[in-house]
Amino acid sequence: MNQDFDVVVCGAGAGGMLAAVRLHDLGLRPLVIEKSSRYGGTSATSGGGIWIPDHGIGVEPDSREQALTYLRAVCKGDYRDDKLAAYVDHGGAMIGYLASIGVPMVSIPGFPDYIARAPGASTGRSLFPPELDGAALGEEFHRLRDSPNGYKLFGRYALDLQQSFTLSERAFGWQWTAARMLLKYWLDLPWRRKTPRDRRLTMGRALVGGLRKAMLERNIPLLLDCGLAGLRVEDGRVTGVDAVSGGAARRFTARAGIILAAGGFEQNQKLRDELLPVATNRNWSLTPSGLNIGDPLISGIAAGAATESLDANWWAPSMQLPSRTEPNIDLAVPMFFDHRHPHSLCVNRLGQRFVNESCSYDEFGQAMIADHRRTGANIPCWMIFDASFRRAYPCGPILPDFVMPDRRIPHEWWDSHVFRAGSLGALAAKMDVPAATLIASVRRMNGFARAGKDEEFGRGENRFDLFFGKKDVGPNPCMAPVETPPFYAVRIDLGDLGSKGGLKTDARARVLATTGAPIPGLHAIGNCAGSPFGNCYPGAGGTLGPATVFAYIAANDLAAQARP
């Protein structure tokens, strides 16, 4: 079966959907294909943030020069200045375009860049979508990929980012925040008779839902269960897509070109083993199982494309816990905030600290890799906390003990995934960690906490750390002693939010051949392409930022080329 379009977009995440809407508004006829039965991809399972410098929203000062100073200071590995400049120069226009199609973004005042100690670092560059009423999507609401349970209160009530911060940090007014969420859900009786799911779309689902609504308003076709199988190349130009839908082969011809937006390769264990710097398991990834197995990467290489940054991922620590519905299956749970809370520390399997626990999740993952290369005793590592932590803070799905006392923690978690003991020595024995070293690490950390200065890793000494600090903890709001029994430990694995490397692209999102020249008719965005930041995660929204900005750039480029 052959169908002709101006542009075929492969992948229905935020980048692919934005590209399709922009292409339509520039006068082209796009088609979006998606291998899954649900649209949204990893964008829908994300926090929905878009990191954009100099965006013009809010009052926090920023400039092109300051943003490029920061990016040049923190980016490492495979990155090019022309792509950084294109990113900064087009980001504000992309955000303005999102607002014009009904997908506004808002800034969280004071939210710092992840590497806040670097020159040019600022605050307010991370933008987030406001809540969206899912009823606006009609039946398409039911085809939107669900968010992970970690983004819901009690696995049911959708959290926006501010609510997530308030509840996980137990910030002032957290009880009222929880009460309002529950009340809003239970008063929505007509909707709940149709579906048990919360109709509030927040975080990544709000962003994807808004883009899907824009597609529906423009009658842009979206084919689900239709996956990329290969690229059609004629006389050196990519002219179409071979796809598989319901087991049947389909072919789509693209007059203007193809945009690959179908994610990375993090769910492909073979590629992980071949490309990543240390041994990892795809089950540690926080992305949906089986979704991103590298189809665009494999297809692009077959068409002659070069690659970049294939040894990098968007790292994020994860914890494995048994599935409550599937026997003998462990599921990855995100540990974005947990290791930052006071009354805790993280150690390798020698019982030694190796990281500023209050750093960003990507820096945490990179510290795990560096320590493992040095000691061979990381990946996994351990998070240690005490009864004071249990009273106040969550640890993954383990809620504070006033909500989830120890007796309510599933029995199958104990001594396999969660460990508890009356002393640090007994805890070390359960963890198979040298007791003397662990005890010494905790004592040293406790001394730092009482003095207010972490002499090993500088915990609590930069703007990012302090943003999540606790006002009722001092003298350093990021640290407190680990001294009140019982003591607990959970294993932390080297998880990720997706692969960071992919097809090599230029500042116009054109895929480059191994010769260095652009491949006519082929663009790639998001995790299909190498990150413009190289092996760096500059701030919250550092994954969706490139996906959306270069989607905007690619659409503009294709439309310009298609004009007579």
Side-chain angles (χ1 to χ4, degrees), residues 378-455:
N378 210 306
I379 311 176
C381 62
W382 293 96
M383 177 178 165
I384 313 297
F385 52 98
D386 68 358
S388 297
F389 181 106
R390 278 285 288 130
R391 282 195 293 271
Y393 311 116
C395 178
I398 305 171
L399 301 178
D401 67 3
F402 67 90
V403 177
M404 182 186 283
D406 285 358
R407 67 178 182 276
R408 291 189 57 193
I409 294 176
H411 66 87
E412 64 267 23
W413 294 8
W414 290 110
D415 295 329
S416 58
H417 300 76
V418 182
F419 298 85
R420 177 185 58 191
S423 69
L424 288 170
L427 186 68
K430 289 188 173 186
M431 298 159 55
D432 195 23
V433 165
T437 308
L438 177 64
I439 292 170
S441 294
V442 173
R443 285 177 176 168
R444 190 162 51 251
M445 180 66 170
N446 289 350
F448 297 156
R450 292 189 180 95
K453 184 173 179 60
D454 178 5
E455 296 179 4

Coordinates of all heavy atoms in Angstrom, one line a residue, residues 378-455:
N378 N 30.7 0.0 42.2 CA 29.5 0.8 42.1 C 28.6 0.1 41.1 O 29.0 -1.0 40.6 CB 29.8 2.2 41.6 CG 28.8 3.2 42.2 OD1 27.6 3.1 42.0 ND2 29.3 4.2 42.9
I379 N 27.5 0.6 40.8 CA 26.5 0.0 39.8 C 26.2 -1.4 40.2 O 26.7 -2.3 39.5 CB 27.0 0.2 38.3 CG1 27.5 1.6 38.1 CG2 26.0 -0.3 37.4 CD1 28.1 1.8 36.7
P380 N 25.5 -1.7 41.2 CA 24.7 -0.7 41.9 C 25.4 -0.1 43.1 O 26.5 -0.6 43.5 CB 23.5 -1.6 42.4 CG 24.1 -2.9 42.7 CD 25.1 -3.1 41.6
C381 N 24.8 0.9 43.7 CA 25.3 1.5 44.9 C 24.1 1.5 45.9 O 23.1 0.8 45.7 CB 25.8 3.0 44.7 SG 24.5 4.1 44.1
W382 N 24.4 2.1 47.1 CA 23.4 2.0 48.2 C 23.0 3.4 48.7 O 23.8 4.3 48.8 CB 23.9 1.2 49.4 CG 24.1 -0.3 49.1 CD1 25.3 -0.8 48.7 CD2 23.2 -1.3 49.1 NE1 25.2 -2.2 48.5 CE2 23.8 -2.5 48.8 CE3 21.8 -1.3 49.4 CZ2 23.2 -3.7 48.7 CZ3 21.2 -2.6 49.4 CH2 21.8 -3.7 49.0
M383 N 21.7 3.5 49.0 CA 21.3 4.7 49.7 C 20.9 4.3 51.2 O 20.2 3.3 51.4 CB 20.0 5.3 49.1 CG 19.4 6.5 49.8 SD 18.0 7.2 49.0 CE 17.3 8.2 50.3
I384 N 21.5 5.0 52.1 CA 21.3 4.7 53.6 C 20.5 5.8 54.2 O 20.8 7.0 54.0 CB 22.7 4.6 54.3 CG1 23.7 3.7 53.5 CG2 22.6 4.0 55.7 CD1 23.3 2.3 53.3
F385 N 19.6 5.4 55.1 CA 18.8 6.5 55.8 C 18.4 5.9 57.1 O 18.5 4.7 57.4 CB 17.7 7.0 55.0 CG 16.7 6.0 54.4 CD1 15.5 5.6 55.0 CD2 17.0 5.3 53.2 CE1 14.7 4.7 54.5 CE2 16.2 4.4 52.6 CZ 15.0 4.1 53.3
D386 N 17.9 6.8 58.0 CA 17.5 6.3 59.3 C 16.0 6.6 59.6 O 15.2 7.0 58.7 CB 18.4 7.0 60.4 CG 18.1 8.5 60.5 OD1 17.3 9.1 59.7 OD2 18.8 9.1 61.3
A387 N 15.6 6.4 60.8 CA 14.2 6.5 61.2 C 13.7 8.0 61.1 O 12.5 8.2 60.8 CB 14.0 6.1 62.7
S388 N 14.6 9.0 61.3 CA 14.2 10.4 61.1 C 13.8 10.6 59.6 O 12.9 11.3 59.3 CB 15.4 11.3 61.5 OG 15.7 11.1 62.9
F389 N 14.6 10.0 58.7 CA 14.2 10.1 57.3 C 12.9 9.5 57.0 O 12.0 10.0 56.3 CB 15.3 9.4 56.4 CG 15.1 9.4 55.0 CD1 15.9 10.3 54.2 CD2 14.2 8.6 54.3 CE1 15.7 10.3 52.8 CE2 14.0 8.7 53.0 CZ 14.7 9.5 52.2
R390 N 12.7 8.3 57.6 CA 11.4 7.6 57.4 C 10.2 8.4 57.8 O 9.1 8.3 57.2 CB 11.5 6.2 58.1 CG 12.2 5.1 57.4 CD 11.4 4.5 56.2 NE 10.2 3.7 56.6 CZ 9.0 3.9 56.2 NH1 8.7 4.8 55.3 NH2 8.0 3.1 56.6
R391 N 10.4 9.1 58.9 CA 9.3 9.9 59.4 C 8.9 11.0 58.5 O 7.7 11.4 58.4 CB 9.6 10.5 60.8 CG 9.5 9.5 61.9 CD 9.5 10.2 63.3 NE 10.8 10.8 63.5 CZ 11.8 10.3 64.2 NH1 11.7 9.0 64.6 NH2 12.9 10.9 64.4
A392 N 9.9 11.6 57.7 CA 9.7 12.8 57.0 C 9.6 12.7 55.5 O 8.8 13.5 54.9 CB 10.8 13.8 57.4
Y393 N 10.3 11.7 54.9 CA 10.4 11.8 53.4 C 10.1 10.4 52.8 O 10.3 9.4 53.4 CB 11.9 12.2 53.1 CG 12.4 13.4 53.8 CD1 13.4 13.3 54.7 CD2 11.8 14.6 53.6 CE1 13.9 14.4 55.4 CE2 12.2 15.7 54.3 CZ 13.3 15.6 55.2 OH 13.7 16.7 55.9
P394 N 9.7 10.5 51.5 CA 9.6 9.2 50.7 C 10.9 8.8 50.2 O 11.9 9.5 50.0 CB 8.6 9.7 49.6 CG 9.0 11.1 49.4 CD 9.4 11.7 50.7
C395 N 10.9 7.5 49.9 CA 12.1 6.9 49.2 C 11.5 6.0 48.1 O 11.0 4.9 48.3 CB 12.9 6.0 50.1 SG 14.3 5.2 49.3
G396 N 11.5 6.6 46.8 CA 10.8 5.9 45.8 C 9.3 5.7 46.1 O 8.7 6.7 46.6
P397 N 8.8 4.5 46.0 CA 7.4 4.3 46.4 C 7.1 4.1 47.8 O 6.0 3.9 48.3 CB 7.0 3.0 45.6 CG 8.3 2.3 45.6 CD 9.4 3.3 45.5
I398 N 8.2 4.1 48.6 CA 8.1 3.9 50.1 C 7.8 5.3 50.7 O 8.6 6.2 50.8 CB 9.4 3.4 50.7 CG1 9.8 2.0 50.0 CG2 9.2 3.2 52.2 CD1 11.1 1.5 50.4
L399 N 6.5 5.5 51.0 CA 6.1 6.8 51.5 C 6.5 7.0 53.0 O 6.8 6.0 53.6 CB 4.6 6.9 51.4 CG 4.0 6.8 49.9 CD1 2.5 6.9 49.9 CD2 4.7 7.9 49.0
P400 N 6.5 8.2 53.5 CA 6.8 8.4 54.9 C 6.0 7.5 55.8 O 4.9 7.1 55.5 CB 6.5 9.9 55.1 CG 6.7 10.5 53.8 CD 6.2 9.5 52.8
D401 N 6.6 7.2 57.0 CA 5.9 6.1 57.8 C 4.6 6.5 58.4 O 3.8 5.6 58.8 CB 6.9 5.6 58.8 CG 7.2 6.6 59.9 OD1 6.7 7.7 59.9 OD2 8.1 6.2 60.8
F402 N 4.3 7.8 58.4 CA 2.9 8.1 58.9 C 1.9 7.8 57.8 O 0.7 7.7 58.1 CB 2.9 9.6 59.3 CG 3.0 10.6 58.1 CD1 1.9 11.0 57.4 CD2 4.2 11.1 57.8 CE1 2.0 11.9 56.4 CE2 4.4 12.0 56.7 CZ 3.3 12.4 56.0
V403 N 2.3 7.6 56.6 CA 1.4 7.1 55.5 C 1.6 5.6 55.3 O 0.6 4.9 55.1 CB 1.7 7.9 54.2 CG1 0.8 7.4 53.1 CG2 1.4 9.4 54.4
M404 N 2.9 5.2 55.3 CA 3.2 3.8 55.0 C 4.2 3.3 56.1 O 5.4 3.3 55.9 CB 3.8 3.6 53.6 CG 4.2 2.2 53.2 SD 5.1 2.1 51.7 CE 3.8 2.3 50.5
P405 N 3.7 2.9 57.2 CA 4.5 2.3 58.2 C 5.2 1.0 57.7 O 4.7 0.5 56.8 CB 3.6 2.1 59.4 CG 2.2 2.0 58.8 CD 2.3 2.9 57.6
D406 N 6.2 0.6 58.4 CA 7.0 -0.6 58.0 C 6.1 -1.8 57.8 O 6.3 -2.6 56.8 CB 8.1 -0.9 59.0 CG 9.3 0.1 58.9 OD1 9.2 1.0 58.0 OD2 10.2 -0.1 59.7
R407 N 5.1 -1.9 58.6 CA 4.2 -3.1 58.5 C 3.4 -3.1 57.2 O 2.9 -4.1 56.7 CB 3.2 -3.2 59.7 CG 2.2 -2.1 59.7 CD 1.3 -2.2 60.9 NE 0.2 -1.2 60.9 CZ 0.4 0.0 61.4 NH1 1.6 0.3 62.0 NH2 -0.6 0.9 61.4
R408 N 3.3 -1.9 56.5 CA 2.5 -1.8 55.3 C 3.4 -2.0 54.0 O 2.9 -2.0 52.9 CB 1.8 -0.5 55.2 CG 0.6 -0.5 56.2 CD -0.2 0.8 56.0 NE -0.8 0.8 54.6 CZ -1.3 1.9 54.0 NH1 -1.4 3.0 54.7 NH2 -1.8 1.8 52.8
I409 N 4.7 -2.0 54.2 CA 5.6 -2.3 53.1 C 5.5 -3.7 52.7 O 5.6 -4.6 53.6 CB 7.1 -1.9 53.5 CG1 7.2 -0.4 53.7 CG2 8.1 -2.4 52.4 CD1 8.6 0.0 54.2
P410 N 5.3 -4.1 51.5 CA 5.0 -5.5 51.1 C 6.2 -6.4 51.5 O 7.3 -6.0 51.5 CB 5.0 -5.4 49.5 CG 4.5 -4.0 49.2 CD 5.1 -3.1 50.3
H411 N 5.8 -7.5 52.1 CA 6.7 -8.4 52.7 C 7.8 -8.9 51.7 O 9.0 -9.1 52.1 CB 6.0 -9.6 53.4 CG 5.4 -10.5 52.4 ND1 6.0 -11.6 51.8 CD2 4.1 -10.5 51.8 CE1 5.2 -12.2 50.9 NE2 4.0 -11.6 50.9
E412 N 7.4 -9.0 50.4 CA 8.4 -9.5 49.5 C 9.5 -8.5 49.2 O 10.5 -8.8 48.5 CB 7.7 -9.9 48.2 CG 7.0 -8.8 47.4 CD 5.6 -8.6 47.8 OE1 5.2 -9.1 48.9 OE2 4.8 -8.1 47.0
W413 N 9.3 -7.2 49.6 CA 10.4 -6.2 49.4 C 11.5 -6.4 50.4 O 12.7 -6.0 50.1 CB 9.8 -4.8 49.5 CG 8.8 -4.4 48.4 CD1 8.3 -5.3 47.5 CD2 8.3 -3.2 48.2 NE1 7.4 -4.6 46.7 CE2 7.4 -3.3 47.1 CE3 8.4 -1.9 48.9 CZ2 6.6 -2.2 46.6 CZ3 7.7 -0.8 48.4 CH2 6.8 -1.0 47.3
W414 N 11.2 -6.8 51.6 CA 12.2 -6.9 52.7 C 13.3 -7.8 52.4 O 13.1 -9.0 51.9 CB 11.5 -7.2 54.0 CG 10.6 -6.1 54.5 CD1 9.3 -6.2 54.6 CD2 11.0 -4.8 55.1 NE1 8.8 -5.0 55.2 CE2 9.9 -4.2 55.4 CE3 12.3 -4.2 55.2 CZ2 9.9 -2.9 56.0 CZ3 12.3 -2.9 55.8 CH2 11.1 -2.3 56.1
D415 N 14.5 -7.4 52.7 CA 15.7 -8.2 52.6 C 16.0 -8.7 51.2 O 16.8 -9.7 51.0 CB 15.7 -9.4 53.6 CG 15.7 -8.9 55.0 OD1 16.3 -7.9 55.3 OD2 15.1 -9.6 55.9
S416 N 15.3 -8.1 50.2 CA 15.7 -8.4 48.8 C 15.8 -7.1 48.1 O 16.7 -6.9 47.2 CB 14.6 -9.2 48.1 OG 13.3 -8.6 48.2
H417 N 15.0 -6.1 48.4 CA 15.0 -4.8 47.8 C 15.2 -3.7 48.9 O 15.7 -2.6 48.6 CB 13.8 -4.5 47.0 CG 13.6 -5.5 45.9 ND1 13.2 -6.8 46.1 CD2 13.9 -5.4 44.5 CE1 13.1 -7.4 44.9 NE2 13.5 -6.6 44.0
V418 N 14.6 -3.9 50.1 CA 14.7 -2.9 51.2 C 15.2 -3.7 52.4 O 14.8 -4.8 52.7 CB 13.3 -2.4 51.5 CG1 13.4 -1.3 52.6 CG2 12.6 -1.8 50.2
F419 N 16.2 -3.0 53.0 CA 16.9 -3.7 54.2 C 16.7 -2.8 55.4 O 16.7 -1.5 55.3 CB 18.4 -3.9 53.9 CG 18.6 -4.8 52.7 CD1 18.6 -4.3 51.4 CD2 18.8 -6.1 52.9 CE1 18.8 -5.1 50.3 CE2 19.0 -7.0 51.8 CZ 19.0 -6.5 50.5
R420 N 16.6 -3.4 56.6 CA 16.4 -2.7 57.8 C 17.1 -3.4 58.9 O 17.2 -4.7 59.0 CB 14.9 -2.6 58.2 CG 14.6 -1.9 59.5 CD 13.1 -2.0 59.8 NE 12.6 -3.4 59.9 CZ 11.4 -3.8 59.9 NH1 10.4 -2.9 59.9 NH2 11.0 -5.0 60.0
A421 N 17.8 -2.6 59.8 CA 18.5 -3.2 61.0 C 18.6 -2.2 62.1 O 18.4 -1.0 61.9 CB 19.9 -3.7 60.5
G422 N 18.8 -2.8 63.3 CA 18.9 -1.9 64.5 C 20.2 -1.2 64.6 O 20.3 -0.3 65.4
S423 N 21.2 -1.6 63.9 CA 22.5 -0.9 63.9 C 23.1 -0.9 62.6 O 22.7 -1.6 61.7 CB 23.4 -1.7 64.9 OG 23.8 -2.9 64.3
L424 N 24.0 0.0 62.4 CA 24.7 0.1 61.1 C 25.5 -1.1 60.8 O 25.6 -1.5 59.6 CB 25.6 1.4 61.1 CG 24.9 2.7 61.0 CD1 25.9 3.9 61.2 CD2 24.2 2.9 59.7
G425 N 26.1 -1.7 61.8 CA 26.9 -3.0 61.6 C 26.0 -4.1 61.1 O 26.4 -4.8 60.1
A426 N 24.8 -4.2 61.7 CA 23.9 -5.3 61.2 C 23.4 -5.0 59.8 O 23.2 -5.9 59.0 CB 22.7 -5.4 62.2
L427 N 23.1 -3.7 59.5 CA 22.7 -3.3 58.2 C 23.8 -3.6 57.2 O 23.5 -4.1 56.1 CB 22.4 -1.8 58.2 CG 21.7 -1.3 56.9 CD1 20.3 -1.8 56.7 CD2 21.7 0.3 56.9
A428 N 25.0 -3.3 57.5 CA 26.1 -3.6 56.6 C 26.2 -5.1 56.2 O 26.5 -5.5 55.1 CB 27.4 -3.1 57.2
A429 N 25.9 -5.9 57.2 CA 26.0 -7.4 57.0 C 24.9 -7.8 56.0 O 25.1 -8.6 55.1 CB 25.8 -8.1 58.3
K430 N 23.7 -7.2 56.1 CA 22.6 -7.5 55.2 C 23.0 -7.1 53.8 O 22.6 -7.7 52.8 CB 21.3 -6.9 55.7 CG 20.7 -7.6 56.9 CD 19.3 -7.0 57.2 CE 18.7 -7.8 58.3 NZ 17.3 -7.4 58.5
M431 N 23.7 -5.9 53.7 CA 24.0 -5.4 52.4 C 25.3 -6.0 51.8 O 25.6 -5.8 50.6 CB 24.3 -3.9 52.6 CG 23.1 -3.0 53.0 SD 23.7 -1.4 53.8 CE 24.7 -0.8 52.4
D432 N 26.0 -6.8 52.6 CA 27.3 -7.3 52.2 C 28.3 -6.2 51.8 O 29.0 -6.2 50.8 CB 27.1 -8.3 51.0 CG 28.3 -9.1 50.7 OD1 29.1 -9.4 51.7 OD2 28.6 -9.6 49.6
V433 N 28.3 -5.2 52.8 CA 29.2 -4.1 52.7 C 30.1 -4.1 53.9 O 29.7 -4.5 55.0 CB 28.4 -2.8 52.6 CG1 29.3 -1.6 52.9 CG2 27.7 -2.7 51.3
P434 N 31.4 -3.8 53.8 CA 32.3 -3.8 55.0 C 31.7 -2.9 56.1 O 31.6 -1.7 55.9 CB 33.6 -3.2 54.4 CG 33.6 -3.6 53.0 CD 32.2 -3.5 52.6
A435 N 31.5 -3.4 57.2 CA 30.8 -2.7 58.3 C 31.7 -1.5 58.8 O 31.2 -0.4 59.0 CB 30.5 -3.7 59.5
A436 N 33.0 -1.8 59.0 CA 33.8 -0.7 59.6 C 33.8 0.5 58.6 O 33.8 1.6 59.1 CB 35.2 -1.2 59.8
T437 N 33.9 0.3 57.3 CA 34.0 1.4 56.4 C 32.6 2.1 56.3 O 32.6 3.3 56.3 CB 34.3 0.8 55.0 OG1 35.5 0.0 55.0 CG2 34.5 2.0 54.0
L438 N 31.5 1.4 56.3 CA 30.2 2.0 56.3 C 30.0 2.9 57.6 O 29.6 4.0 57.5 CB 29.1 1.0 56.2 CG 27.7 1.6 56.3 CD1 27.4 2.5 55.1 CD2 26.6 0.4 56.3
I439 N 30.4 2.3 58.7 CA 30.2 3.1 60.0 C 31.0 4.3 60.0 O 30.6 5.4 60.4 CB 30.6 2.2 61.2 CG1 29.5 1.0 61.3 CG2 30.7 3.0 62.5 CD1 29.9 0.0 62.3
A440 N 32.3 4.2 59.5 CA 33.2 5.4 59.4 C 32.6 6.4 58.4 O 32.6 7.6 58.7 CB 34.5 5.0 58.9
S441 N 32.0 6.0 57.3 CA 31.4 6.9 56.3 C 30.3 7.7 57.0 O 30.1 8.9 56.8 CB 31.0 6.2 55.1 OG 32.1 5.6 54.4
V442 N 29.4 7.0 57.7 CA 28.3 7.6 58.3 C 28.7 8.6 59.4 O 28.2 9.7 59.5 CB 27.3 6.5 58.9 CG1 26.2 7.2 59.7 CG2 26.7 5.7 57.8
R443 N 29.7 8.2 60.2 CA 30.2 9.1 61.3 C 30.8 10.4 60.7 O 30.6 11.5 61.2 CB 31.2 8.4 62.1 CG 30.6 7.3 63.1 CD 31.7 6.6 63.8 NE 31.1 5.7 64.8 CZ 31.8 4.8 65.5 NH1 33.1 4.6 65.2 NH2 31.2 4.0 66.3
R444 N 31.5 10.2 59.6 CA 32.1 11.4 58.9 C 31.1 12.3 58.4 O 31.1 13.5 58.5 CB 33.1 10.9 57.9 CG 34.0 12.0 57.3 CD 35.2 11.5 56.5 NE 34.8 10.4 55.6 CZ 35.1 9.1 55.7 NH1 35.7 8.7 56.8 NH2 34.8 8.3 54.8
M445 N 30.0 11.7 57.7 CA 28.9 12.5 57.2 C 28.2 13.2 58.3 O 27.8 14.3 58.2 CB 28.0 11.5 56.4 CG 26.8 12.2 55.8 SD 27.3 13.4 54.5 CE 25.7 13.8 53.8
N446 N 28.0 12.5 59.4 CA 27.3 13.1 60.5 C 28.0 14.3 61.1 O 27.4 15.3 61.4 CB 27.1 12.1 61.7 CG 26.0 11.0 61.3 OD1 25.3 11.2 60.3 ND2 25.9 10.0 62.1
G447 N 29.4 14.2 61.1 CA 30.2 15.4 61.5 C 30.0 16.5 60.5 O 29.9 17.7 61.0
F448 N 30.0 16.3 59.3 CA 29.8 17.3 58.3 C 28.4 18.0 58.5 O 28.3 19.2 58.4 CB 29.9 16.8 56.8 CG 31.2 16.2 56.5 CD1 31.3 15.3 55.5 CD2 32.4 16.6 57.1 CE1 32.5 14.7 55.1 CE2 33.6 16.1 56.8 CZ 33.7 15.1 55.8
A449 N 27.4 17.1 58.7 CA 26.1 17.7 58.9 C 26.0 18.6 60.1 O 25.3 19.7 60.0 CB 25.1 16.5 59.0
R450 N 26.6 18.2 61.2 CA 26.6 19.1 62.4 C 27.4 20.4 62.2 O 27.0 21.4 62.7 CB 27.1 18.3 63.6 CG 26.2 17.1 64.0 CD 26.7 16.5 65.3 NE 25.8 15.4 65.7 CZ 26.1 14.1 65.4 NH1 27.2 13.8 64.8 NH2 25.2 13.2 65.8
A451 N 28.4 20.3 61.4 CA 29.2 21.5 61.2 C 28.6 22.3 60.1 O 29.0 23.5 60.0 CB 30.7 21.1 60.8
G452 N 27.8 21.7 59.2 CA 27.2 22.5 58.1 C 28.0 22.6 56.9 O 27.7 23.3 55.9
K453 N 29.1 21.8 56.8 CA 30.0 21.9 55.7 C 30.5 20.4 55.3 O 31.1 19.7 56.1 CB 31.2 22.7 55.9 CG 32.2 22.9 54.7 CD 33.3 23.9 55.0 CE 34.2 24.0 53.8 NZ 33.5 24.5 52.6
D454 N 30.2 20.1 54.0 CA 30.6 18.8 53.5 C 32.0 18.9 52.9 O 32.1 19.4 51.8 CB 29.6 18.3 52.4 CG 29.9 17.0 51.8 OD1 30.9 16.3 52.2 OD2 29.2 16.6 50.8
E455 N 33.0 18.5 53.7 CA 34.3 18.6 53.2 C 34.8 17.7 52.2 O 35.9 17.8 51.6 CB 35.3 18.5 54.5 CG 35.0 19.6 55.5 CD 35.9 19.5 56.7 OE1 36.8 18.5 56.7 OE2 35.8 20.2 57.7

